[in-house]
């Protein structure tokens, strides 16, 4: 780790002003990505601004037709939330299978989506469930938020404050984990919300989370699992690494989509 | 028997400190005035060093000194030695290129150390290291063994042609050719034993300290064998005599072989500590462990089995290429040869065997012993081959084994590859395992799986291993440069409590309990009265350390021998005091009695009489009750057994689920059944890890692609089923404790059972081969390719 200034923000405004006055500041949420990056000396921020003490960034609220999750809410809190379990059980299940207990008790939804790891679970959750990302400046549809590997539309210093998920009629997430990291080799969120069917895929594409149009068409209104399984997904543009070939990922997309569809019922 | 004696499932006494965070590991220790070292390591697999510019770095805050290979060379520091010398087929010795602790003119693997920065804090040392400018000429890397052996290959060591360290053989080539000539069936297999990264929980660490007033050095280091480090580093590298060099290995958090070896960092720190002169601490980062701890396995083998019409084995021909990495590590040369080729008979009566091994230098981390060391590689190829043979001739895999097994009445059994097995009952282990795994009920379970669109398979491995790595004369004949006795000192204190100093080292095995149980049994005293000391050359007389499952098989009898010497002496003292003849004294349950009388002395009365006597046979005996023993076994010990694995595979994803795993191991006498079970569990986790999860991957340029837990898959609890383990022992015949060793059986026996089960499941789909680790991706691909 290189030296940096540590600042513990006490409010959203405090955090935003600390970030804007820093040469090269970085917000710190759960630290599950940022701290290892610092330890390996892969990043050299001048200032690290800790969001942990900002009370109103964490928590889950039930807005009737949607639930809103504060940016600093941990994966464990989402996984164990009664509200989430009753309104959008697929989301609770997704959070409950991120990493390991230590990671779930530190890692946050805001940190996860700001980071937009191409193998992370929440991006598929946000896109599949048609969530809205709320920042200190604006509200952004998940469809527009994730732009590329580790890239989002967030501007320099923009702070995610919450994510709002409309309550789905049906939804399930199926993940095939990487055996080593337990991130997703392929994860598919299948959801039907307000009559719209979505299948959002993480882990597979060279440009991060995306909606699989061919799978969505096959699933149709009835979430037809067999039809999803029968889709021959092209391996073009998919990742290939020591853990999985592009062909294997392509195959897993239809398998995971069909399993999610079955689970969503 | 005492309640804490042999056979009792005593809870591990060391766990109290481990579980309450009171273990004392090297990184927990700080010395007054301690500095910190950071190793600058090569980012290249192979490069010539034109120069190392430390000028700017030396000026960085907190820096005390920076040393390079040139500085150590100027001091005539020796190279890191190899403890085994292997000879080529033509009788010439293996190539032993120099291994300077800090690279001098070339770096030979990613992670090779180029300079050491010593500073007031670790962060300062690391900051300064980034300011060192190394002028490298990057050279092509030799990574793949076949390419490394080719005539145009880049040479890891300029004076080792074709990167061939040695070309070794064992067995009777002509007799084997003759066996193949008359065979009715020949079955062959090409097999890779995947390279593994050991991953002990505690990374390597060291603190070196030099005392200018008397020239004494103390090195705390994470080693499995402190006296071996003292010998190798003191005598060969730094020329420090034993009385001036103390090695301390306190609590060590796992080794699995990777902490046997003398590592460069130990010599660098010890040497530098006299230059500074202040204590210097170094603790590896996890990423450093991946690129500097010796790796394991990494064999490529072609093997053929000759059989007659009835499936009787006639001959075995094995040709192996073994990757030894960039440098010869301490045991590197022994692993693919005498720990591998000598086991090729397995548990079978194969009359003619020939095995040749080419050992190859590559631009990768040195490869050396890792839990099992050579024996898992041998077992894997034999048990895959035997299973394949059964399938090819249409015989049941149980029957082909039963038919060819050495029978209980054939011991001692001389194999065609040097070893003489002392005792065993292989058919009994197989039978027990078949029962315990409900082998007979398998087809029903298979049908159930198939009705759920799953594939089910069952796989068997009947293995043997050789433990102890002694007798010394045999080890010497096989190329060991030192005898491998073990030593013990048993010191009975005046009031009857006991301190044992053992040359074995415990880094998780539970010796403080097991060894105390031996003493408890011998003296009839509870283990609370016994303290086991190990790991400090300043306290323990001598020792060869812990590896090759030798602690109980060689270290244990040394303790027993010293205990017996104590009892002999105590008997003399009792005879004198009770005015009886020595031959009338009996020792039982902690009491000496004169037979046929009610005269007796308790153990503690005798010890008191031995130290502070009024009435003592001073002309015949010296006071005191403190005995030393060195023990060398009659033979290796031969644990053996049968592992049966059952898997269910999801053909849609290739996911392999181990539904049942049965291990029946013959480990000889069981001292502590709970510790034995724990050792088997750990070994199985590693063996199953090798079979399904773990695989070290280098790219063609020699960069490690599996350099962290994001990419290197360690087995986790949820990868394992409930393990069904048991022992079925024939008492050992090569040592007086009748033990065989248990540390490695799990890792040796299990990988082929897992792979045989997967292939059994996939055979109906036309899959006839899969390599380890059998990840879901690989299983799925194999199904697609079939
Ligand atoms: C061992 C391990 C296993 C894991 N497995 C999985 C897995 O299976 N699936 C999965 O999805 N993830 C996994 N993760 C990632 C984990 O879930 C975390 O979500 C992720 O590391 C980031 O969240 P964090 O709160 O720790 O963010 P941090 O590490 O603190 O921050 C990450 C980045 O986001 C920025 N940031 C944080 N909060 C905000 C905010 N409110 N507004 C703007 N920017 C912000 C930070 O500046 C930083 O750049 C794993 C991580 C580890 C270490």
């Amino acid at each position: 780790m290189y030296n940096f200034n540590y600042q513990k923000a006490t409010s959203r405004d405090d955090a935003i002003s600390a970030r804007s006055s820093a040469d090269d500041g970085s917000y710190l949420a759960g630290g599950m990505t940022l701290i290892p990056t610092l330890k390996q000396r892969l990043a050299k921020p001048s200032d690290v601004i800790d969001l942990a003490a900002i009370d109103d960034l964490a928590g889950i609220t039930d807005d009737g037709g949607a639930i809103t999750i504060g940016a600093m809410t941990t994966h464990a809190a989402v996984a164990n939330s009664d509200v989430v379990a009753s309104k959008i059980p697929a989301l609770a299940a997704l959070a409950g299978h991120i990493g390991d207990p230590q990671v779930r008790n530190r890692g946050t939804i805001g940190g996860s989506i700001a980071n937009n790891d191409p193998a992370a679970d929440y991006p598929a959750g946000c896109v599949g469930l048609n969530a809205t990302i709320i920042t200190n400046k604006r509200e952004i549809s998940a469809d527009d938020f994730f732009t590329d590997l580790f890239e989002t539309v967030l501007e320099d210093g923009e702070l995610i404050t919450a994510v709002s998920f409309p309550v789905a009629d049906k939804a399930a997430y199926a993940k095939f984990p990487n055996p080593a990291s337990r991130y997703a080799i392929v994860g598919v969120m299948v959801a039907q919300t307000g009559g719209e069917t979505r299948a959002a895929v993480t882990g597979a594409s060279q440009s991060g989370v995306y909606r699989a149009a061919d799978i969505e068409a096959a699933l149709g209104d009835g979430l037809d699992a067999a039809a999803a399984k029968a889709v021959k997904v092209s391996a073009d543009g998919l990742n290939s690494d020591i853990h999985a070939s592009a062909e294997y990922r392509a195959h897993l997309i239809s398998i995971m989509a069909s399993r999610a569809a079955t689970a969503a019922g | 028997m005492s309640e804490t004696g042999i056979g009792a499932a005593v809870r591990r006494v060391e766990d109290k400190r481990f579980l309450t965070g009171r273990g004392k590991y090297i990184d927990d220790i700080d010395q007054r005035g301690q500095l910190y070292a950071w190793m600058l390591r090569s980012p290249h697999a192979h490069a010539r060093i034109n120069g190392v510019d430390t000028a700017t770095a030396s000026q960085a805050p907190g820096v005390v000194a920076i040393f390079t290979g040139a500085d150590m060379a100027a001091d005539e520091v020796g190279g890191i030695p190899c403890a085994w010398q292997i000879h080529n087929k033509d009788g010439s010795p293996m190539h032993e290129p120099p291994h300077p602790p800090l690279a001098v003119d070339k770096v030979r693997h990613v992670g090779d150390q180029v300079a050491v920065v010593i500073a007031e804090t670790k962060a300062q040392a690391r900051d300064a290291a980034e300011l060192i400018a190394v002028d490298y000429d990057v050279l092509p890397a030799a990574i793949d063994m076949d390419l490394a052996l080719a005539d145009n290959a880049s040479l890891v060591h300029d004076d080792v042609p074709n990167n061939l360290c040695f070309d070794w053989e064992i067995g009777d080539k002509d007799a084997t050719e003759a066996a193949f000539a008359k065979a009715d069936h020949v079955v062959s297999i090409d097999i890779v034993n995947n390279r593994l990264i050991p991953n002990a929980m505690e990374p390597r660490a060291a603190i070196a300290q030099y005392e200018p007033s008397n020239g004494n050095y103390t090195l705390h280091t994470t080693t499995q064998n402190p006296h071996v480090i003292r010998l190798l580093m003191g005598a060969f590298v730094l020329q420090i005599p034993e009385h001036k060099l103390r090695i301390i290995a306190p609590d060590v958090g796992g080794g699995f072989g990777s902490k046997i070896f003398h590592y460069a960092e130990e010599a660098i720190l010890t040497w530098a500590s006299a230059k500074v002169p202040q204590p210097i601490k170094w603790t590896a980062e996890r990423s450093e462990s991946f690129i500097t701890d010796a790796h394991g396995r990494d064999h490529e083998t072609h093997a053929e089995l000759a059989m007659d019409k009835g499936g009787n084995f006639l001959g075995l021909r094995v040709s192996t290429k073994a990757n030894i990495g960039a440098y010869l590590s301490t045991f590197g040369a022994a692993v693919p040869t005498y720990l591998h080729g000598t086991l090729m008979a397995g548990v079978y009566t194969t009359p003619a065997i020939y095995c040749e091994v080419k050992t190859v230098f590559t631009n990768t981390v040195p490869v050396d012993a890792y839990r099992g060391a050579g024996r898992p590689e041998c077992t894997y190829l034999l048990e895959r081959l035997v299973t394949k043979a059964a399938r090819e001739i249409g015989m049941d895999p149980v029957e082909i084994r039963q038919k060819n097994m050495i029978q209980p009445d054939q011991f001692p059994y001389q194999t065609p590859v040097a070893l003489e097995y002392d005792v065993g009952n292989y058919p009994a282990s197989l039978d027990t395992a078949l029962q315990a795994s409900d082998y007979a009920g398998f087809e029903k379970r298979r049908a159930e799986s198939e009705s759920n669109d799953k594939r089910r398979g069952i796989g068997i491995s009947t293995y043997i291993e050789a433990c102890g790595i002694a007798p010394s004369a045999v080890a010497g004949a096989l190329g060991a440069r030192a005898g491998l006795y073990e030593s013990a000192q048993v010191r009975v204190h005046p009031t009857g409590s006991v301190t044992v100093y053992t040359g074995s080292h415990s880094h998780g095995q539970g010796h403080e309990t097991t060894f105390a149980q031996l003493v408890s049994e011998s003296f009839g005293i509870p283990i609370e009265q016994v303290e086991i000391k190990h790991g400090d050359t300043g306290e323990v007389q001598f020792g060869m350390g812990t590896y090759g499952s030798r602690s109980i098989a060689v270290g244990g009898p040394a303790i027993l021998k010293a205990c017996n010497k104590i009892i002999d002496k105590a008997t003399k003292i009792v005879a004198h005091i009770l005015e009886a003849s020595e031959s009338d004294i009996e020792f039982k349950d902690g009491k000496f009695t004169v037979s046929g009388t009610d005269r007796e002395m308790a153990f503690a009365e005798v010890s008191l009489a031995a130290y502070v006597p009024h009435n003592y046979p001073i002309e015949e005996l010296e006071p005191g009750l403190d005995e030393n023993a060195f023990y060398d076994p009659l033979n290796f010990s031969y644990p053996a057994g049968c592992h049966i694995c059952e898997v269910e595979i999801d053909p849609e994803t290739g996911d392999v689920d181990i539904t049942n795993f049965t291990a029946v191991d013959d480990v000889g006498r069981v001292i502590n059944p709970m510790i034995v079970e724990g050792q088997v569990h750990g070994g199985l986790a590693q063996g199953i890890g090798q079979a399904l999860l773990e695989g070290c991957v280098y790219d063609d340029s020699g960069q490690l692609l599996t350099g962290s837990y994001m990419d290197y898959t360690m087995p986790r609890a949820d990868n394992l089923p409930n393990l069904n383990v048991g022992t079925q022992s024939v008492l050992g015949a090569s040592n007086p404790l009748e033990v065989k060793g248990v540390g490695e059986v799990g890792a040796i026996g299990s990988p082929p059972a897992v792979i045989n089960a997967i292939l059994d499941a996939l055979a109906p789909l036309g899959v006839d081969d899969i390599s380890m680790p059998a990840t879901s991706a690989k299983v799925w691909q194999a199904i697609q390719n079939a």
Side-chain angles (χ1 to χ4, degrees), chain A residues 189-264:
Chain A
M189 173 64 86
V190 168
Q192 209 162 57
T193 315
E196 184 195 33
T197 295
R198 286 183 169 229
V201 180
T202 189
S205 162
Q206 286 169 3
S207 43
V209 63
Y210 72 100
R211 282 178 66 181
D214 44 359
I215 299 273
E216 288 178 358
L219 286 168
D221 293 341
L223 297 189
D224 184 340
K229 192 191 278 190
V231 174
K232 280 256 157 280
V233 175
S234 162
D236 291 348
L238 300 190
N239 282 321
S240 187
D241 55 32
I242 58 169
H243 301 288
S245 64
E247 291 70 27
Y248 184 49
R249 283 190 163 91
H251 167 76
L252 286 176
I253 290 170
S254 25
I255 299 293
M256 291 300 119
S258 110
R259 290 186 183 181
T262 304

Side-chain angles (χ1 to χ4, degrees), chain A residues 26-36 51 57 71-72 75 97-100 103 106-112 114-115 119-123 154 158-161 175 181-184, chain B residues 710:
Chain A
S26 187
Y27 293 129
L28 173 68
M32 292 293 94
T33 295
L34 185 60
I35 300 287
L51 307 176
L57 277 183
M72 285 297 287
H75 310 326
H97 287 96
I98 293 175
D100 49 46
V103 168
R106 294 285 315 172
T108 66
I109 188 169
S112 177
N115 193 48
D121 298 303
Y122 266 130
L154 285 178
E158 189 171 0
L159 179 74
I160 301 172
T161 57
K175 171 180 181 176
S181 71
R182 305 257 171 125
Y183 275 86
Chain B
M710 296 304 276

Side-chain angles (χ1 to χ4, degrees), chain A residues 10-255:
Chain A
T10 51
S11 68
R12 297 174 185 206
D13 289 345
D14 190 23
I16 293 157
S17 79
R19 179 76 167 71
S20 67
S21 52
D23 281 349
D24 179 17
S26 187
Y27 293 129
L28 173 68
M32 292 293 94
T33 295
L34 185 60
I35 300 287
T37 311
L38 296 179
K39 278 179 151 179
Q40 292 180 317
R41 300 190 161 208
L42 297 173
K44 198 177 182 178
S46 62
D47 294 73
V48 169
I49 299 127
D50 191 348
L51 307 176
I54 307 173
D55 291 339
D56 63 357
L57 277 183
I60 298 165
T61 48
D62 182 353
D63 312 329
I67 55 176
T68 301
I69 302 179
M72 285 297 287
T73 311
T74 63
H75 310 326
V78 174
N80 297 324
S81 153
D82 293 340
V83 173
V84 183
S86 68
K87 291 287 182 84
I88 317 178
L91 190 60
L94 175 148
H97 287 96
I98 293 175
D100 49 46
Q102 288 85 343
V103 168
R104 290 196 288 276
N105 279 291
R106 294 285 315 172
T108 66
I109 188 169
S112 177
I113 62 173
N115 193 48
N116 191 20
D117 188 304
D121 298 303
Y122 266 130
C126 291
V127 173
L129 293 166
N130 197 12
T132 300
I133 287 88
I134 303 163
T135 75
N136 61 318
K137 295 187 176 157
R138 51 189 169 147
E139 298 196 353
I140 310 160
S141 144
D143 289 345
D144 302 327
F145 182 81
F146 303 101
T147 52
D148 207 338
L149 305 185
F150 300 103
E151 297 285 343
T152 67
V153 294
L154 285 178
E155 288 162 12
D156 196 38
E158 189 171 0
L159 179 74
I160 301 172
T161 57
V163 185
S164 173
F165 292 89
V167 174
D169 304 324
K170 289 178 179 176
Y173 181 62
K175 171 180 181 176
F176 196 82
N178 177 313
S181 71
R182 305 257 171 125
Y183 275 86
I185 279 187
V186 168
V188 184
M189 173 64 86
V190 168
Q192 209 162 57
T193 315
E196 184 195 33
T197 295
R198 286 183 169 229
V201 180
T202 189
S205 162
Q206 286 169 3
S207 43
V209 63
Y210 72 100
R211 282 178 66 181
D214 44 359
I215 299 273
E216 288 178 358
L219 286 168
D221 293 341
L223 297 189
D224 184 340
K229 192 191 278 190
V231 174
K232 280 256 157 280
V233 175
S234 162
D236 291 348
L238 300 190
N239 282 321
S240 187
D241 55 32
I242 58 169
H243 301 288
S245 64
E247 291 70 27
Y248 184 49
R249 283 190 163 91
H251 167 76
L252 286 176
I253 290 170
S254 25
I255 299 293

Side-chain angles (χ1 to χ4, degrees), chain B residues 175-198:
Chain B
T176 308
E177 297 301 330
F180 275 82
K182 66 175 189 207
D184 296 305
H185 302 286
V186 173
V187 179
S188 70
I189 198 164
D190 287 287
I191 215 158
V192 174
N193 205 282
N194 44 327
R195 184 178 178 116
L196 302 177
I197 304 179

Side-chain angles (χ1 to χ4, degrees), chain B residues 145-156:
Chain B
M145 283 196 273
D146 283 324
L147 298 178
L149 286 168
D151 285 337
N152 59 355
S154 181
L155 295 183
V156 180

Side-chain angles (χ1 to χ4, degrees), chain B residues 473-733:
Chain B
V474 177
L478 303 182
R481 284 172 161 153
L484 291 145
Y485 288 75
E486 196 46 87
S487 136
Q489 182 178 5
V490 173
R491 178 176 298 166
V492 181
H493 302 291
T495 61
S497 64
V498 180
T499 304
V500 176
Y501 299 89
T502 168
S504 300
H505 185 273
S506 187
H507 30 281
Q509 294 88 343
H511 295 170
E512 289 165 43
T513 310
T514 309
F515 288 173
Q517 288 182 252
L518 299 182
V519 178
S520 166
E521 178 82 20
S522 278
F523 295 158
I525 57 176
I527 57 166
E528 291 75 26
Q529 295 277 338
V530 186
E531 182 85 359
I532 305 293
K533 297 272 196 183
H534 64 88
D536 183 349
T537 64
E539 278 189 341
V540 179
Q541 57 294 343
F542 194 66
M544 293 307 292
T546 288
Y547 38 85
S549 305
R550 69 194 305 273
S551 293
I552 200 64
V554 190
I559 295 173
L560 184 69
K561 198 171 165 190
C563 287
N564 288 337
K565 286 187 182 181
I566 295 277
I567 294 170
D568 287 350
K569 183 170 179 183
T571 303
K572 291 196 172 78
I573 298 170
V574 173
H576 173 84
I577 295 174
L578 298 183
E579 297 174 344
S581 149
E582 264 174 55
S583 58
D584 288 339
I585 308 290
E586 255 181 36
F587 181 57
K588 212 178 147 225
D589 298 333
K591 278 194 194 111
F592 292 88
T593 48
V594 182
S595 54
T597 75
D598 59 359
R599 282 180 294 160
E600 61 175 39
M601 281 183 83
F603 185 71
E605 289 179 280
V606 186
S607 57
L608 194 65
Y611 281 97
V612 287
H614 295 297
N615 173 14
Y616 199 79
I618 198 77
E619 274 83 46
E620 295 156 43
L621 275 183
E622 287 176 24
L625 211 48
D626 187 356
E627 296 286 349
N628 246 314
F630 275 72
Y631 177 76
D632 199 27
L634 303 170
N635 191 349
F636 291 85
S637 64
Y638 298 96
C642 177
H643 292 182
I644 298 183
C645 177
E646 197 167 321
V647 298
E648 189 177 68
I649 295 174
D650 177 351
E652 266 181 3
T653 61
D655 189 40
V656 177
D657 179 29
I658 297 185
T659 56
N660 307 298
F661 198 100
T662 304
V664 174
D665 300 300
D666 174 357
V667 299
R669 185 183 299 286
V670 171
I671 310 293
N672 182 323
M674 190 167 61
I675 288 180
V676 163
E677 192 176 325
Q679 285 289 315
V680 175
H681 280 187
L684 291 178
Q686 277 168 296
I688 292 170
Q690 169 164 29
L692 291 183
L693 304 164
E694 297 186 49
C696 167
V697 184
Y698 279 99
D699 72 10
D700 295 342
S701 71
Q703 294 296 328
L704 181 62
L705 299 184
T706 51
S708 84
Y709 297 126
M710 296 304 276
D711 292 301
Y712 188 84
T713 313
M714 292 298 286
R716 302 181 210 186
D718 65 1
N719 295 124
L720 303 170
N722 274 327
L723 301 166
N724 180 12
V725 312
T727 54
Q728 152 107 24
S729 289
V730 178
L731 295 182

